[in-house]
C-alpha cells in the first residue's frame, strides 16, 4: 500500500469516527458548543457540503428499491467513474451509505438515520418561558 | 472601494441569494436533485460546515437574551477580532444572523428559522407503502 493510500485511509477513518461521534452531540442553538464539538460537527457537515455527494445521495435514494449501482450513477453525474467511486467511498466511510457487492457491481443504499444527528444539531432553541 | 472588497461583496451577494433560495428546495432523500439544486444546497451547507461559524452561532444563541456583541465573542473564540468579524459577516450575509448597532458595538442574534430549510432538505424519505 502506498503512503498516499495510507493517508487516505487514515483520513476516512477519522471522518467515519467523527460522523458517528456527533450522535447526541452539538445542539448548536441549545447550548454553547466547545471547540472540539464544533470541530466534529463541521467535519460531518463538510461530508455533505458538496454538490456531487448530495446528488449521489439523492440519486441513490430515488433508485429502484432505494438503491443504485455505480454503473447507473456515472451517466447522470457527468463525472468520471473514478470520481463517482471516490465520492461514494467518502459517503460510505462517513456512514451515510450501506454497500453490497453483487456479481461485478457494488450496490449502494442510503442510511437516512445517519442524517438525523445533523438535523438534530440544527434544531431550533427551546421556547422562551413566558414571564409571570 | 478596492477590487478585493468588490470581489468579497459579490461573493457574499451570491451566498445570501443561495441560502434564501434553498427554501422549499432540495429534499435530498425525497426526489433526485438536479445539479443546480445540489449546488445551491451545498453552498448553504458550506456556510455552516466551519467550526468557528458553528461556535459563533452557538455562543450568540446562548448569550443573555439570545444575543451577543462582537466585544464578548472574541475572548471565547481565541481568534483575532478581524477574523471573528469576518465569520460574523459571512453568517449575517447568509441570512443566519440579524444585527443591530447600539453605540459603538454591533449586536448579533441568530435567526433559527433560517436553519430549517437545511433541516428540511435532510429529512428522511417518505415511508415505503405496505404492499397488499
Amino acid at each position: 500500500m502506498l503512503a498516499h493510500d495510507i493517508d487516505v485511509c487514515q483520513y476516512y477513518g477519522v471522518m467515519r469516527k467523527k460522523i458517528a461521534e456527533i450522535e447526541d452531540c452539538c445542539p448548536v442553538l441549545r447550548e454553547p458548543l466547545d471547540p472540539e464539538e464544533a470541530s466534529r460537527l463541521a467535519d460531518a457537515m463538510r461530508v455533505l457540503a458538496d454538490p456531487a455527494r448530495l446528488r449521489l445521495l439523492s440519486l441513490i435514494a430515488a433508485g429502484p428499491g432505494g438503491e443504485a449501482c455505480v454503473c447507473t450513477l456515472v451517466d447522470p453525474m457527468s463525472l468520471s467513474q473514478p470520481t463517482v467511486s471516490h465520492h461514494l467511498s467518502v459517503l460510505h466511510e462517513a456512514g451515510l451509505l450501506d454497500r453490497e457487492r453483487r456479481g461485478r457491481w457494488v450496490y449502494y443504499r442510503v442510511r437516512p438515520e445517519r442524517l438525523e444527528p445533523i438535523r438534530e444539531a440544527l434544531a431550533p432553541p427551546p421556547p422562551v418561558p413566558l414571564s409571570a
Side-chain angles (χ1 to χ4, degrees), chain A:
Chain A
M1 186 182 261
L2 299 173
H4 170 76
D5 295 323
I6 295 171
D7 284 351
V8 168
C9 291
Q10 286 176 340
Y11 175 65
Y12 287 162
V14 169
M15 191 183 282
R16 179 173 46 196
K17 185 160 162 263
K18 298 224 170 183
I19 283 257
E21 279 180 2
I22 68 158
E23 283 173 37
D24 303 317
C25 153
C26 318
V28 178
L29 304 185
R30 299 189 171 203
E31 58 188 53
L33 301 189
D34 65 35
E36 198 266 339
E37 290 171 320
S39 175
R40 278 193 275 163
L41 180 56
D43 284 350
M45 297 196 72
R46 215 171 285 126
V47 175
L48 289 172
D50 177 281
R53 292 198 282 272
L54 287 170
R55 275 200 84 211
L56 280 171
L57 285 175
S58 188
L59 291 169
I60 294 166
E67 63 177 21
C69 157
V70 65
C71 56
T72 63
L73 291 168
V74 172
D75 270 359
M77 291 296 292
S78 307
L79 295 171
S80 70
Q81 190 192 317
T83 301
V84 170
S85 291
H86 164 74
H87 286 303
L88 290 169
S89 285
V90 172
L91 290 166
H92 176 257
E93 292 297 329
L96 296 168
L97 292 179
D98 275 333
R99 71 180 174 194
E100 186 187 349
R101 178 172 288 280
R102 292 185 217 143
R104 62 180 287 220
W105 295 111
V106 177
Y107 287 79
Y108 291 89
R109 177 178 291 278
V110 178
R111 300 177 66 184
E113 74 279 11
R114 300 304 291 269
L115 294 174
E116 285 306 304
I118 293 176
R119 297 183 74 223
E120 275 303 302
L122 303 178
V128 178
L130 291 173
S131 52

